[in-house]
Amino acid sequence: MVQDFMHKDKKDYGKENLLSIKKWMVSPQFIFDNTSVRKAAKLLMDNELQFLPIVDQKLKPTGLISPKIMMEALLDRQSEASVSNYVTQDDYSIVHIDASLMDVLSLNHRNFAVVDDDRRLIGLLTTNHILKCLHTYMKDMNQKEHSAEILNEILESAYEGVAVVDEHGIVREFNDAYSRFTGISPESAIGRHVEEVIDNTKLPDTLKTGMPERGVIQYIQGQAMIVHRIPIWKNDKVVGAIGILIFEGVTEVYRIYERLQENNRQIQSPVPQSCTTKRQEKHTMTLDQIIGDSESTSNRKRLARKVAKTDATVLITGESGTGKEMYARGIHHLSACSSGPFISVNCGAIPEHLFESELFGYEEGAFTGARKGGKPGKFELAENGTIFLDEIGEMPLMMQAKLLRVLQEKRVDRVGGAHEYEINARIIAATNRNLQKMVEAGDFREDLYYRLNIIEIPIPPLRDRTEDIPKLVSYYINSLCKRYQQPKKVMTSEALALFMKYTWPGNIRELINTLEKLIVLVDDSIIGVHHLPVDIMGKEKPEELPDNSITLIHQAKTIGDEKERELICDALRNTGGNKSKAAEQLGIHRTTLYQKIKKYQINKL
């Protein structure tokens, strides 16, 4: 039976406004009670949801469905039946928007539908959401008088088993759920080393490396369990770790199954596969695959999910290497055109004279060397799908005008063609440049800018979300070890702390490149500070070189830079400021020329 917990008198926790559900709830995904089982199952699968609330026509929640229930309905061959026949009210409560998180914790459920005064669904909460919210709350609190009370209630209200250790591996918190599973009381566990309490625990390794692990298999009392291990950082040092024992969860179970399959394949085929025999898989990217739980990353993913449901044109901005194409692919995956193709176009890599034929295609005989039968352009190839215009700021002005016409009329004509084609493709653009300043400078059309910038998703640089770095390092070290068939490697917490201090001008692309070098070149299983590149270690010069060598090298580099700047200025003068012709004269790509103009701060000549 649904426990209908509506708002009562607020408990005084000192900062009730910060603990309000209104601040922490997430936007709801829901289905109506007349939705078919098939549609509900597809929505659960596509969005990797653990449950979906069901509402009536007045948006009032009536219960929920889960993947397990949907599987039973599909096995009963009831794919077209209404979900109202399978609604459940187990492990589910209705709470008022003005309630406190602390009030919700007192309920013995894991899923919560948040309603307004008219009992209409306006938000969702789960136990995991609440744990994250309260962790963030305690982290930001200026006054600490209630933190111990809140932490105790979090641990005892969590459905999962939770153990907290300090920097020496001594158990400091051990909740009742973990106690029930292990048979060790909290009183007996607290104060002992974690290896004496939990079988096969890797929390000491987490303390050494500072790297989080999620959804990994650990055998506890002979049972294969799913665990998360999360380091606790303070002042660039690991001061503890949290171990979370997951008793159930659809996503985690699928990951276990995949790992077991992979292990089985390795046992049956111990000989490494060659590059030519590796199976090529279709590249699919979802927003959930974008690594990071920081507030800025979570906000961007939330915005991307929201705009994906519409056909609005999206402009993704951010520095090079921040993962703009990953967001574009994630939006495509959640959009109505996800079954269509995703066509990526790098506008900075297409020669100017080929732009039109690449984007719009050409008819047979349109020019010398034209392919027999003609060739469809990128817009035609993206029919019923998504076309991703990367580095849109590099597009020539002439092509900008033609692109604007396509966006307005939804029609294209091939080069040398006699008739137009209607197009039905979603457009997502991306750039690492400031288009607004380019508009002011006359390098980008104002009307095209406003046509593209319906919804902007700015991706923050890695230096502004350093809390995502441990998860990124953990993921890519494991991924790169598998790719290069290397033994598993880990990074020390001291080395990881330097990773978090470094500014990463190349963002995630630079981080992956650095890790790739370390995986290939470091023979040890542990990557320490002494293995890191000089830039990350923060050293101004290599210790093995004498001062006069550094001076000579610096002088040579300075002379080389000055000569390069002079050559670029001469080329720009000779071509009357035409950057395309200047790049051709210098024998470099136009994008490279723009980068060097920015590097040497070459203003108008």
Side-chain angles (χ1 to χ4, degrees):
M1 182 175 181
V2 177
Q3 190 169 350
D4 190 355
F5 179 76
M6 302 301 288
H7 179 60
K8 301 176 183 178
D9 294 336
K10 294 181 179 179
K11 296 180 181 179
D12 183 12
Y13 285 98
K15 291 184 176 65
E16 184 67 32
N17 59 326
L18 292 177
L19 288 171
S20 171
I21 285 176
K22 185 185 300 184
K23 179 176 176 62
W24 300 107
M25 68 181 186
V26 297
S27 299
Q29 284 187 292
F30 60 86
I31 55 174
F32 289 102
D33 51 13
N34 59 356
T35 305
S36 69
V37 167
R38 179 177 56 81
K39 289 183 179 179
K42 187 176 188 305
L43 188 59
L44 281 165
M45 182 183 67
D46 289 348
N47 295 280
E48 299 183 7
L49 300 175
Q50 303 295 336
F51 77 98
L52 261 177
I54 300 175
V55 299
D56 61 20
Q57 299 305 310
K58 295 182 179 179
L59 295 181
K60 294 182 178 180
T62 60
L64 59 81
I65 58 167
S66 66
K68 181 180 178 181
I69 296 171
M70 288 295 92
M71 182 66 72
E72 292 174 356
L74 292 172
L75 289 174
D76 290 340
R77 301 182 184 275
Q78 298 296 317
S79 62
E80 298 306 322
S82 170
V83 293
S84 60
N85 299 328
Y86 296 93
V87 64
T88 180
Q89 297 176 352
D90 295 336
D91 210 6
Y92 167 77
S93 286
I94 298 174
V95 295
H96 191 271
I97 189 173
D98 291 329
S100 163
L101 290 178
M102 303 307 297
D103 293 327
V104 174
L105 277 173
S106 66
L107 301 176
N108 190 28
H109 292 125
R110 291 202 306 161
N111 306 311
F112 304 95
V114 184
V115 298
D116 58 15
D117 291 334
D118 296 324
R119 297 178 61 88
R120 292 178 301 189
L121 181 70
I122 56 174
L124 294 178
L125 273 179
T126 66
T127 303
N128 287 337
H129 284 139
I130 296 170
L131 290 174
K132 289 182 180 179
C133 296
L134 288 171
H135 171 73
T136 303
Y137 167 73
M138 287 192 297
K139 183 179 176 181
D140 296 339
M141 277 199 311
N142 294 321
Q143 301 175 2
K144 304 294 184 182
E145 65 270 19
H146 300 298
S147 59
E149 177 185 357
I150 294 171
L151 177 60
N152 182 64
E153 189 153 1
I154 291 171
L155 291 172
E156 296 313 318
S157 301
Y159 183 86
E160 295 88 351
V162 180
V164 182
V165 300
D166 62 17
E167 58 188 312
H168 304 295
I170 304 300
V171 178
R172 295 304 179 192
E173 299 289 348
F174 197 77
N175 75 340
D176 285 339
Y178 225 135
S179 175
R180 286 192 297 271
F181 180 74
T182 61
I184 301 174
S185 68
E187 294 78 15
S188 300
I190 293 174
R192 296 166 61 186
H193 195 276
V194 67
E195 291 180 328
E196 300 175 17
V197 179
I198 303 174
D199 292 349
N200 303 311
T201 180
K202 300 295 183 183
L203 283 177
D205 294 340
T206 305
L207 294 171
K208 291 178 183 177
T209 66
M211 293 169 59
E213 294 182 285
R214 293 180 180 272
V216 295
I217 304 169
Q218 178 178 330
Y219 284 87
I220 303 176
Q221 296 183 343
Q223 296 187 50
M225 305 299 293
I226 309 165
V227 299
H228 298 332
R229 304 183 187 107
I230 305 168
I232 302 172
W233 288 82
K234 184 177 181 181
N235 298 327
D236 299 324
K237 182 183 177 183
V238 178
V239 297
I242 303 172
I244 302 177
L245 179 65
I246 307 298
F247 294 121
E248 66 177 14
V250 174
T251 303
E252 285 83 3
V253 171
Y254 280 134
R255 287 173 181 165
I256 277 193
Y257 178 66
E258 290 169 358
R259 285 193 182 97
L260 290 174
Q261 280 191 319
E262 181 180 347
N263 292 339
N264 188 46
R265 284 196 298 269
Q266 290 175 353
I267 292 171
Q268 293 178 355
S269 305
V271 180
Q273 290 179 305
S274 67
C275 295
T276 56
T277 59
K278 286 183 179 179
R279 182 164 56 96
Q280 299 296 321
E281 296 182 353
K282 184 179 179 181
H283 183 57
T284 302
M285 172 62 64
T286 68
L287 291 172
D288 290 329
Q289 291 174 271
I290 296 175
I291 300 168
D293 293 325
S294 65
E295 184 178 358
S296 59
T297 302
S298 298
N299 288 339
R300 267 57 178 192
K301 289 198 279 189
R302 190 178 301 116
L303 176 59
R305 287 189 182 96
K306 191 171 184 179
V307 302
K309 302 303 181 183
T310 72
D311 60 356
T313 303
V314 179
L315 177 64
I316 305 174
T317 58
E319 296 179 7
S320 180
T322 51
K324 296 186 288 294
E325 183 166 348
M326 295 176 71
Y327 277 89
R329 289 184 179 274
I331 291 171
H332 168 73
H333 175 74
L334 289 178
S335 68
C337 51
S338 59
S339 58
F342 179 91
I343 303 297
S344 180
V345 181
N346 188 336
C347 297
I350 302 176
E352 187 171 354
H353 63 282
L354 296 179
F355 239 111
E356 188 172 3
S357 59
E358 282 293 315
L359 286 184
F360 307 138
Y362 58 81
E363 297 288 1
E364 181 178 345
F367 49 83
T368 303
R371 180 187 299 177
K372 186 176 182 180
K375 178 185 175 183
K378 301 296 186 185
F379 275 94
E380 288 183 65
L381 294 175
E383 184 68 13
N384 297 321
T386 300
I387 182 167
F388 175 54
L389 302 174
D390 197 9
E391 304 300 346
I392 191 71
E394 308 298 331
M395 182 174 284
L397 280 169
M398 179 190 71
M399 282 304 302
Q400 291 178 26
K402 295 189 177 184
L403 176 61
L404 177 64
R405 177 175 172 271
V406 171
L407 294 177
Q408 290 173 334
E409 301 181 9
K410 297 291 184 182
R411 300 175 69 86
V412 298
D413 54 332
R414 292 184 177 182
V415 175
H419 63 278
E420 295 180 329
Y421 296 86
E422 287 190 7
I423 60 166
N424 178 33
R426 178 172 195 160
I427 296 173
I428 301 176
T431 183
N432 60 5
R433 305 184 66 186
N434 189 324
L435 294 186
Q436 202 160 11
K437 287 187 177 179
M438 290 183 66
V439 169
E440 294 171 1
D443 295 326
F444 200 85
R445 290 182 64 102
E446 184 176 19
D447 45 8
L448 178 59
Y449 170 71
Y450 288 115
R451 175 66 69 169
L452 289 172
N453 193 22
I454 304 295
I455 297 174
E456 180 179 358
I457 301 179
I459 311 301
L462 190 55
R463 61 182 171 273
D464 290 344
R465 50 186 185 98
T466 54
E467 57 266 48
D468 288 340
I469 290 177
K471 286 192 70 175
L472 287 162
V473 170
S474 176
Y475 174 82
Y476 283 110
I477 281 182
N478 292 331
S479 175
L480 291 167
C481 284
K482 289 179 182 178
R483 182 194 300 178
Y484 292 110
Q485 299 173 0
Q486 296 279 337
K488 185 176 180 180
K489 297 183 181 181
V490 294
M491 183 178 289
T492 65
S493 59
E494 293 81 8
L496 187 55
L498 290 177
F499 261 56
M500 296 175 73
K501 285 182 179 180
Y502 184 55
T503 56
W504 298 108
N507 294 292
I508 297 175
R509 187 178 292 128
E510 182 185 0
L511 182 141
I512 297 172
N513 179 270
T514 302
L515 291 175
E516 197 163 0
K517 291 177 184 175
L518 292 171
I519 294 301
V520 172
L521 299 178
V522 175
D523 295 326
D524 298 338
S525 61
I526 298 176
I527 300 171
V529 172
H530 61 287
H531 292 123
L532 303 185
V534 172
D535 290 343
I536 295 178
M537 286 193 288
K539 296 180 180 179
E540 296 181 359
K541 58 185 178 182
E543 293 178 352
E544 66 272 13
L545 293 178
D547 289 341
N548 62 333
S549 297
I550 295 295
T551 304
L552 291 172
I553 291 171
H554 180 73
Q555 288 177 353
K557 186 177 184 303
T558 302
I559 293 170
D561 287 348
E562 290 175 353
K563 183 64 177 176
E564 187 175 58
R565 188 183 191 281
E566 183 179 343
L567 288 171
I568 292 172
C569 290
D570 289 341
L572 289 169
R573 289 192 193 97
N574 294 337
T575 59
N578 187 310
K579 295 181 179 65
S580 297
K581 292 182 179 179
E584 185 177 353
Q585 189 178 104
L586 291 166
I588 60 177
H589 195 273
R590 190 174 69 255
T591 304
T592 306
L593 178 60
Y594 278 118
Q595 293 170 347
K596 292 185 179 294
I597 289 173
K598 182 179 180 180
K599 173 183 175 182
Y600 297 124
Q601 298 180 345
I602 299 174
N603 299 319
K604 293 183 178 180
L605 301 173

